[in-house]
Amino acid sequence: MLDTSILQQVTDVFRTLEAHYTLRINHSPRREESKQLIEFLNDFQGTSSHLNVEVLETDGDTLGFALLKNGEETGISFRGIPNGHEFTSLLLAILNADGKGKNLPDEGVARRIRALKGDIHLQTFVSLTCTNCPDVVQTLNIFALLNPNIRHEMVDGALFQSEVDKLGVQAVPAVFCKGKMIHVGRGSLGELLEKLEEAFPPSQEAEKDENAQFHRHFDVIILGGGPAGASAAIYSARKGLKVAMVAERIGGQVKDTVGIENLISIPYTTGSELADNLRTHLAHYPTIELFENRRIESTSLLGKEKEITVKGGEVFSAPAVIIATGAGWRRLNVEGEAEYIGRGVAFCPHCDGPFYAGKEVAVVGGGNSGIEAAIDLAGICKKVTVIEFMDTLKADKVLQDKARSLPNVDILTSTQTMEVKGNGEKVTALQLKNRQTEELHELSLDGVFVQIGLSANSQPFAGLEKTRIGEIVIDAHCRTNIPGVYAAGDVSSVPYKQIIIAMGEGAKAALTAFDDRVRGVV
C-alpha cells in the first residue's frame, strides 16, 4: 500500500529509534477499510525493528490504532488511515515519543503543558487533503506525550461521516473535548495551549511556578517570526548582536499561504516551505535565540531599556525592539459570525472547501484572495456567490475575467454583509444590504468564506502612533515615534503587503537599529 521509495525514506528516518513501539489496531472486520489499515501498518512496521503491529478485532464501527511505547500507552491514537498529509503526523508521533524532532517545544512551553490538570480527552477531526490539519494533530500529540492527563485521537472525518454530521463539523481541523468543540481551523501550539489553559487551569502551585519571571537580556528583541522578523534577526545577528526572536510561530501568516510565485529568483514555493527555509537560515546564526509559541501580554517601551512580557511570565529586555508581528485574518464583525465559525463560516477555501461539495456558498471579498477562492470553490460547489462591498471588484482583471466566465459564479457588488444566520447548528443564510437602494434581502446558502484581507497585529503596543486601521506609523527608516522602537512588514504603515517588501523592511529596520546603537541613540 505504501510506495517503496517512501518506505525507504521512513527506514532512514527511523534508524536512530531507541524505544520499541507497538501499533495496536482495533478494527471491525465488517468495515471494508479494515484490510487497508492492516496492510498500511504492516508495510509501515517493516521500516524498523523497533516497530510491531498488534491486531484486535472488535464489534461495531471501530477502525483505528493506538501508539504504545515499550508496552505503555502514549495517549496518542489514530482513527482511520493516516495517509496523505497525516502520514507525517504518524512519523512525528513516533519520533517525538522517542524524544526526537525539531517540532518539540522548549522547556518554558513544555512546563506550561505539563501543568494542565484534569482528564483531557481530545479528538481532532481532519481531512487527509487539509494542509492545516497536520500542524494541529502533531501539536496535540506532543501535548499527550508531555502530560499523562491528556489523550489525543486523530479522526478521519471522511470515514466517520455520521459522527461528523452529529457533531456538526463543517470545517477542519476541528478539535473536540468530551463532545464540545474547543478549536477549529489553523492553530499554533501557543493558541491551542492557551485554549486548554482556559478550560483546564493549572494548579495554584504550578501556576505560581509558571508565572515566576524568567528575565533575559538581549541587544535587540525581534517580535514576530515572519519574513520581516526573520530578515531583521539575520541582519542584526550579522552585526554581532545578541538577538531574541519572540514569536507565536516561525513563518507567521506566510505559513498559511499555499502557493508563492512572486518571490523574486524563486519561481514557485509554498508558505510551509518558505517558513522552513526561514527557520533553517535563522539556525545558521548562534547569536539568535528563538522563543516560539509566545504571546505578548504586556510591553514597556519607554526609557532606555524596553521590556516585553509574554504568557507564562517570561520577560525579555533590550535597548532596541523591532516589531514585526504581521497581520491576521480580518473578520466581518457582524452578528452570527463568531457563533458559526467552523459551522458554516470559514476562512480557508483550500482546507474547508471539500466540505461544501455540491452545496451553495458565498465568498465575501472581491480582492485577489476572494476571487481566487471563488474560482477554486466553483470547481466543487453547486453555486458560488461573490459579495463585494465596493462598487467594483478589486481583483486583477485576469482573475475577474475567469470568475465571470464560470457558469456557477454570481458576483454582487455594492453589497454589505449585515448578519450571518443559522439554525443553531449551522449557517443557513446571509442577510445582505444593497448599498445603492438600502434594500435588505437574504441569500440562502450552506457556507460563507470570509476573504476581506488582513488587520495589523499591533494591539499590545500602547504609546505608538498608529493609522486609522491600526498599522504602526514608521518613517522611511522604520523608526516609530518612540526612540529605540522600530516596526517592519505588514504590522507597519509601509504600503503593499508583500513577502519581498516585508523582507526588505525587516533588513532596513535592523540596519537602522544598529546605526542608532552606533550613534548612541539607543
Side-chain angles (χ1 to χ4, degrees), residues 131-408:
T131 56
N132 288 324
C133 291
D135 287 342
V136 172
V137 170
Q138 292 158 24
T139 293
L140 295 179
N141 282 345
I142 289 172
F143 285 17
L145 290 171
L146 291 174
N147 188 328
N149 298 319
I150 299 175
R151 290 170 290 153
H152 177 240
E153 177 181 58
M154 184 220 79
V155 183
D156 180 359
L159 298 181
F160 297 92
Q161 192 60 51
S162 61
E163 198 168 341
V164 166
D165 293 339
K166 181 180 178 180
L167 292 171
V169 177
Q170 287 190 299
V172 290
V175 181
F176 287 80
C177 184
K178 299 178 181 178
K180 179 181 178 182
M181 182 185 287
I182 62 170
H183 176 83
V184 65
R186 64 175 66 87
S188 66
L189 187 153
E191 292 171 328
L192 293 164
L193 177 54
E194 286 190 24
K195 289 184 177 181
L196 288 179
E197 285 175 330
E198 290 177 7
F200 302 94
S203 65
Q204 290 185 352
E205 293 78 10
E207 191 171 10
K208 182 179 179 181
D209 177 60
E210 175 188 325
N211 290 331
Q213 294 192 349
F214 293 89
H215 198 137
R216 298 176 176 89
H217 180 81
F218 295 85
D219 295 322
V220 59
I221 300 170
I222 313 294
L223 301 178
S231 177
I234 289 167
Y235 267 75
S236 296
R238 289 176 64 84
K239 295 294 185 181
L241 301 181
K242 186 181 178 184
V243 181
M245 174 177 275
V246 181
E248 293 192 12
R249 59 177 178 169
I250 303 303
Q253 190 75 18
V254 160
K255 198 172 176 67
D256 302 321
T257 304
V258 176
I260 300 168
E261 300 177 324
N262 56 355
L263 187 58
I264 308 306
S265 83
I266 302 174
Y268 179 83
T269 187
T270 66
S272 181
E273 289 172 348
L274 180 55
D276 289 343
N277 289 338
L278 292 177
R279 185 186 295 275
T280 299
H281 199 169
L282 289 163
H284 278 271
Y285 296 90
T287 59
I288 299 175
E289 291 190 49
L290 301 183
F291 298 93
E292 204 172 357
N293 302 304
R294 265 69 172 186
R295 184 174 62 82
I296 300 168
E297 283 203 325
S298 64
T299 62
S300 177
L301 302 177
L302 298 177
K304 199 72 173 176
E305 280 290 306
K306 324 297 182 187
E307 287 193 352
I308 308 296
T309 303
V310 300
K311 177 72 174 180
E314 293 169 290
V315 178
F316 303 88
S317 64
V321 172
I322 298 175
I323 301 170
T325 45
W329 293 110
R330 288 181 60 197
R331 295 190 180 184
L332 295 168
N333 293 320
V334 298
E335 185 176 347
E337 179 187 30
E339 179 184 354
Y340 287 104
I341 288 176
R343 298 187 295 163
V345 174
F347 298 88
C348 179
H350 305 289
C351 302
D352 301 330
F355 285 94
Y356 298 89
K359 298 181 179 181
E360 298 188 5
V361 301
V363 175
V364 181
N368 283 348
S369 60
I371 300 304
E372 286 174 353
I375 293 169
D376 288 344
L377 292 167
I380 56 175
C381 295
K382 179 180 179 182
K383 182 180 179 182
V384 181
T385 303
V386 176
I387 300 166
E388 169 54 44
F389 182 84
M390 303 300 290
D391 297 336
T392 58
L393 299 179
K394 303 183 289 294
D396 295 341
K397 187 176 184 301
V398 63
L399 293 175
Q400 293 189 41
D401 292 344
K402 175 64 176 176
R404 294 184 193 280
S405 73
L406 299 174
N408 60 336

Side-chain angles (χ1 to χ4, degrees), residues 1-2 7 23 25 34-48 51-55 65 81 90:
M1 185 173 180
L2 286 170
L7 291 173
L23 306 171
I25 300 174
S34 289
K35 183 178 178 181
Q36 297 175 30
L37 175 62
I38 295 171
E39 181 183 347
F40 175 87
L41 291 182
N42 279 333
D43 286 350
F44 185 77
Q45 77 161 335
T47 60
S48 174
L51 301 177
N52 73 286
V53 172
E54 292 181 0
V55 181
F65 63 97
I81 305 172
L90 174 57

